[in-house]
Amino acid sequence: NPPSCSDPFLTITIPHTAHENDRDFVISRLKYAQKFILISLLFLIPVLYSLYSLVSAEQREIQNLRIELAGVKQIDDLMQIMLEVQQHRGLVNGYLNGNRDAKAKIEEKQQGIHAKMEQVDGDFHNKDSSKALEQWMSVRQEWEHLLASYEGLAASESFNHHSQLVNEIKQLMIYSADESGLTLDTDINSFYTVKMTVEELPTLIEGAARIRGLGNGVLASRTLTAEDRLELLLESRISEEALAEINMLLAKIAEYDSEHTEELLTAGEQAAQSIEYFLGLLDAEIINKAVLDMAPDAYFAKGTEAIEVAVELFHHGLERVVQLLEDRIDDAINARNATMIFTFGCLL
C-alpha cells in the first residue's frame, strides 16, 4: 500500500536532469570568490549593455548638434554671397539704365563675389551630399553665365536673372538648414530663432534689396513706368508682411527665452525701424514724387544702410542659435560623463 501523507519518514526524490547535474558540478567545484566573480560577470552583461545604450544615445545627440553647428556656418557663408549678388544686381540695374559711373563698383563687387565663392566651394566639395553639391554647382554656373552676359542684356532681363540667382541661393540656405537638422530641431528656443533667421530674414532682406535695385534703375533713368511702380508696391507689401512675421517671432523668442535675448530684441527693433524708414523713402522719393530728382547713388546707399541693419539682426540670430547649440552640446557631454562615472562607481 502507498504510504500516507502524514508518514514522517516519507522522502520524495526528484531526479536531476543532465543540465542541472552539470551546473551543480561546475558550481560545486568553484570556490566562494570564484562564485562571486562569476555572478558579478553575469550581472555586468545587462548593466554594460544599458550603459552602452545610454552613452550611444548621448553621443548621437552630440554629433547631431555639431552637424547643426556646421549648418549654421554654411548658412552664414551663403548669406554673405547672397548680399553681394543683391548689391551687384542693383548696381548693374543702375548701370544699364544709364549710370555709367557704377562700372568700377560693379567690377569691385564681382571680385568680392568670386573670392567668397572660392572660399565656400571647398566646404561643399567636402560634404557627403551629392544633392547639396549639385545645387551649389548650379549657383556657380548661373553666376558665371550672368557675369559673361549681363552687359548685353536689357536692364529688366539682367534684374530677373540676378533675382533667379538670389532665389537659388535662398533655397540652398533652406536646404542646408534642413540637411543639417536645424529646421527639425525640437528645442523651442532654437525653433523660433532658426525660423526667423533662416526663413523670414532672407525674405525681408531680399525684398529690401529688390526695392533698392529697382529704385536705383528708376532714378538712373528718371522714369517710373507703370510696371516698375506696380513691382515696387508689391515688393513693399511683401517686405511689410515679412517684417510683421519677424516681429511675431521675436515676441515668441522673448516669451520662451527672455533672459538671454536682450541684444537680439534690440537688433530686431533697430531693423524694423530701418526697413520702415527705407519703405517711407521709397514712397516719398519714387512712388509719390512728381519729379524724380534724388541721386541714384544716394538712394542705393540708403537702401544698403537699411539692409545692413537687417543683416545685423541676422547675425544676432545666428549667434543665439550657436550659443543654444553649444550649451546643449555641453549639457549632453556632462550627462554622458556623469552616466559613465556613476555607473562605474556603483560597479566598483
Side-chain angles (χ1 to χ4, degrees):
N1 294 327
S4 66
C5 292
S6 59
D7 189 344
F9 300 103
L10 175 62
T11 301
I12 301 176
T13 302
I14 302 175
H16 288 81
T17 63
H19 175 72
E20 290 171 328
N21 288 331
D22 292 340
R23 180 198 63 194
D24 292 342
F25 177 76
V26 172
I27 296 296
S28 63
R29 291 176 63 87
L30 295 177
K31 297 180 180 180
Y32 176 80
Q34 294 172 329
K35 293 178 182 178
F36 189 83
I37 292 172
L38 176 61
I39 294 171
S40 298
L41 290 174
L42 295 174
F43 174 74
L44 278 176
I45 294 174
V47 173
L48 292 179
Y49 178 78
S50 300
L51 177 63
Y52 172 78
S53 299
L54 290 171
V55 171
S56 296
E58 293 290 351
Q59 198 62 37
R60 284 193 299 271
E61 177 69 11
I62 294 168
Q63 183 63 26
N64 290 337
L65 291 170
R66 284 174 175 163
I67 292 173
E68 289 185 40
L69 275 177
V72 171
K73 180 184 180 303
Q74 191 169 78
I75 290 168
D76 191 20
D77 291 338
L78 290 172
M79 171 58 80
Q80 299 307 312
I81 294 174
M82 189 183 86
L83 293 170
E84 295 288 336
V85 172
Q86 287 170 338
Q87 289 195 33
H88 188 270
R89 174 180 60 190
L91 291 169
V92 168
N93 196 44
Y95 172 77
L96 295 178
N97 276 289
N99 184 13
R100 298 298 172 179
D101 295 336
K103 182 64 175 177
K105 292 183 179 179
I106 291 172
E107 292 177 351
E108 180 182 353
K109 192 61 59 182
Q110 289 170 179
Q111 293 175 0
I113 294 172
H114 178 75
K116 282 185 170 59
M117 283 191 169
E118 288 296 321
Q119 176 186 346
V120 175
D121 191 70
D123 294 336
F124 277 97
H125 279 88
N126 292 332
K127 287 186 69 174
D128 297 329
S129 174
S130 58
K131 186 173 181 180
L133 179 59
E134 180 182 348
Q135 292 183 5
W136 168 245
M137 294 306 297
S138 175
V139 167
R140 292 213 61 172
Q141 290 170 6
E142 181 68 22
W143 167 247
E144 295 294 337
H145 173 72
L146 189 60
L147 201 60
S149 62
Y150 78 87
E151 291 195 70
L153 298 174
S156 59
E157 291 177 329
S158 170
F159 197 90
N160 290 335
H161 283 305
H162 277 88
S163 297
Q164 181 180 350
L165 176 58
V166 170
N167 286 332
E168 284 191 34
I169 298 172
K170 281 176 59 182
Q171 291 302 316
L172 185 53
M173 289 170 62
I174 293 174
Y175 180 79
S176 295
D178 292 341
E179 186 182 47
S180 63
L182 278 169
T183 50
L184 303 176
D185 199 305
T186 56
D187 182 79
I188 193 69
N189 295 333
S190 300
F191 174 80
Y192 285 119
T193 309
V194 168
K195 182 173 177 61
M196 179 194 72
T197 306
V198 178
E199 297 181 17
E200 299 302 332
L201 270 172
T203 299
L204 176 66
I205 292 170
E206 168 62 358
R210 286 179 63 86
I211 292 171
R212 178 186 61 186
L214 285 168
N216 188 41
V218 168
L219 292 172
S221 65
R222 304 296 179 188
T223 304
L224 177 62
T225 65
E227 182 180 355
D228 288 338
R229 178 186 176 86
L230 181 61
E231 190 165 359
L232 284 168
L233 288 172
L234 178 61
E235 292 298 335
S236 178
R237 180 59 180 169
I238 292 173
S239 297
E240 289 173 354
E241 291 176 352
L243 190 57
E245 182 69 17
I246 288 170
N247 287 332
M248 185 274 291
L249 290 171
L250 283 170
K252 286 287 188 183
I253 292 169
E255 178 183 351
Y256 288 103
D257 192 21
S258 59
E259 296 182 1
H260 306 93
T261 55
E262 183 177 352
E263 290 186 2
L264 183 64
L265 296 177
T266 301
E269 292 176 2
Q270 293 173 348
Q273 293 172 1
S274 183
I275 294 295
E276 287 169 355
Y277 169 79
F278 184 54
L279 296 179
L281 184 67
L282 168 67
D283 290 338
E285 295 295 336
I286 296 179
I287 300 298
N288 299 316
K289 191 75 175 287
V291 179
L292 303 176
D293 55 1
M294 186 175 185
D297 291 343
Y299 176 83
F300 191 89
K302 291 293 184 182
T304 301
E305 290 175 7
I307 291 170
E308 285 176 350
V309 178
V311 172
E312 281 297 313
L313 176 58
F314 173 84
H315 288 310
H316 278 290
L318 282 188
E319 288 173 3
R320 183 57 188 152
V321 172
V322 169
Q323 184 180 359
L324 289 168
L325 292 174
E326 288 179 345
D327 288 346
R328 289 164 61 192
I329 288 174
D330 291 339
D331 291 341
I333 290 174
N334 292 335
R336 179 199 63 190
N337 294 342
T339 299
M340 295 176 66
I341 292 171
F342 178 77
T343 303
F344 285 123
C346 290
L347 290 176
L348 182 61

